[in-house]
Amino acid sequence: MKINTAIRHASGIALLGSALLAGQAQAAGESECIAPAKPGGGYDLTCRLAANGLLETGLIDEPMMVTYMPGGIGAVAYNHVNGVRTDDPNLIVAASTGAAVNLALGKFGQYDADEVRWLGALGVDYGAIVVNADSPWQSLDELMADLKDNPGEIAFGAGGTVGSQDWMKAALTAKSGDIDPRDLRYVAFEGGGEALAALLGDHIQVFTGDLSELKSQLDSGKIRVLAALSEERMGGPYAEIPTAAEQGYDVQWPIWRGYYMGPEVSDAAYEEWTQRMQTLAGNDEFAKLREARGLFPMSLFGDDFDNYVKDQVAGFKTLAEEVGLK
């Protein structure tokens, strides 16, 4: 697949805006994190998590520069690293589960998940199946029973279109109950806040959100979380929320916050960054930074993380093919 014209055009604009700063960072040997989006979003948070954590724990001597490179929901940055910054030992790029979904759907042009060196993840959030407190469903089992009988009459909604990771949560949950995801009724919203408002207003019946964004709602008594899409129960305010798995549905949705490096980065540089990230992940002060940003612990680095991402992308490709998205 060739890189489409829009990605080429956006890449050119992004390069004009970032080339000078990037060149200065390379010349000085300073570390840099590319956030593949505008300031203020999840990728910005991911870069700041590394930048602030590494500096505050003394793992880097100089502040890490954060460069913004929006376009194609990560595609512009991915193509930039593979075409221009292939061997930069000082560059890391923010990524997430959303990037894995887009790679599976072929949205990064000619490049696939094998083109970069996946470095590691420093934090994770988890998907959740949420209903209104007045909903008739008290458990995931009850929802799935009704969904199996009338899949088109229960409106799911979230902050993403069909094919997005929020849609994937709904699709995988349905699939775990032997329900064809193509039979789901799904309503796309601009963001999670809008979708949650629709749930509270009874415009949709099920919201596939994230645990961290529900924290402020749990004490309000306005919602009921039927399942956390995590491997095990989370602690603190989430301790009473059962996982989908413990209710008999084999579905997890970790929203990891991680990083990758260029495909030609040396083994020595890759190993140095891997060790640096591992040390950061085990630091108590960093744990406070991570918690303040609404993330749960996740420590997966080097080859283990590289294999994890590639396996995840392969799984998303299979699901996309099953439901006709590819």
Side-chain angles (χ1 to χ4, degrees), residues 132-216:
N132 196 306
D134 296 331
S135 165
W137 304 300
Q138 299 292 323
S139 68
L140 186 58
D141 255 339
E142 293 179 4
L143 170 62
M144 297 298 278
D146 283 353
L147 192 63
K148 183 169 285 190
D149 291 338
N150 302 292
E153 295 183 14
I154 299 173
F156 282 70
T161 60
V162 171
S164 68
Q165 61 172 325
D166 283 336
W167 175 85
M168 286 275 190
K169 298 172 200 170
L172 286 171
T173 301
K175 191 169 180 286
S176 72
D178 296 323
I179 300 163
D180 190 335
R182 288 172 291 191
D183 293 334
L184 288 181
R185 181 183 171 197
Y186 179 83
V187 182
F189 295 92
E190 286 296 321
E194 185 178 323
L196 183 57
L199 178 76
L200 296 175
D202 293 322
H203 302 296
I204 59 174
Q205 286 75 56
V206 185
F207 169 49
T208 50
D210 303 334
L211 280 181
S212 64
E213 68 184 323
L214 301 173
K215 189 174 182 179
S216 62

Side-chain angles (χ1 to χ4, degrees), residues 43-100:
Y43 283 138
D44 190 3
L45 178 152
T46 305
C47 274
R48 297 293 175 185
L49 185 67
N52 295 343
L54 290 168
L55 186 64
E56 291 183 23
T57 56
L59 290 169
I60 55 175
D61 297 324
E62 300 292 334
M64 173 180 279
M65 182 172 68
V66 175
T67 304
Y68 300 99
M69 195 174 289
I73 322 177
V76 168
Y78 204 79
N79 281 275
H80 171 67
V81 171
N82 278 289
V84 181
R85 308 280 292 279
T86 59
D87 61 352
D88 189 341
N90 301 310
L91 176 68
I92 62 174
V93 186
S96 71
T97 306

Side-chain angles (χ1 to χ4, degrees), residues 248-263:
Y249 300 94
D250 185 18
V251 53
Q252 292 86 39
W253 192 269
I255 305 124
W256 51 263
R257 294 289 177 185
Y259 313 87
Y260 63 84
M261 300 183 75

Side-chain angles (χ1 to χ4, degrees), residues 2 18 74 80 99 102 106-107 130-131 150 162 170 185 204 213 215 239-240 254 266 272-273 287 291 306 321-322:
K2 294 183 178 180
S18 64
H80 171 67
N102 287 332
K107 293 185 177 182
V130 188
V131 297
N150 302 292
V162 171
R185 181 183 171 197
I204 59 174
E213 68 184 323
K215 189 174 182 179
E240 299 302 315
S266 69
E272 182 180 348
W273 272 103
E291 184 178 357
D306 192 84
E321 289 165 358
E322 287 177 355

Side-chain angles (χ1 to χ4, degrees), residues 206-313:
V206 185
F207 169 49
T208 50
D210 303 334
L211 280 181
S212 64
E213 68 184 323
L214 301 173
K215 189 174 182 179
S216 62
Q217 296 289 334
L218 292 176
D219 293 333
S220 71
K222 295 180 179 179
I223 63 169
R224 181 182 304 126
V225 184
L226 298 183
L229 303 185
S230 52
E231 296 88 355
E232 57 187 26
R233 288 199 187 198
M234 298 292 100
Y238 313 101
E240 299 302 315
I241 300 173
T243 67
E246 71 183 78
Q247 298 178 75
Y249 300 94
D250 185 18
V251 53
Q252 292 86 39
W253 192 269
I255 305 124
W256 51 263
R257 294 289 177 185
Y259 313 87
Y260 63 84
M261 300 183 75
E264 297 175 6
V265 167
S266 69
D267 290 343
Y270 181 73
E271 181 61 24
E272 182 180 348
W273 272 103
T274 298
Q275 293 298 323
R276 186 179 288 151
M277 290 295 194
Q278 285 179 325
T279 302
L280 179 63
N283 184 281
D284 291 340
E285 289 303 312
F286 173 73
K288 296 176 184 176
L289 289 176
R290 181 179 56 213
E291 184 178 357
R293 286 158 176 78
L295 296 174
F296 302 100
M298 181 177 185
S299 298
L300 199 60
F301 303 99
D303 291 340
D304 289 340
F305 183 64
D306 192 84
N307 292 330
Y308 171 82
V309 174
K310 290 172 183 176
D311 288 345
Q312 191 176 59
V313 171

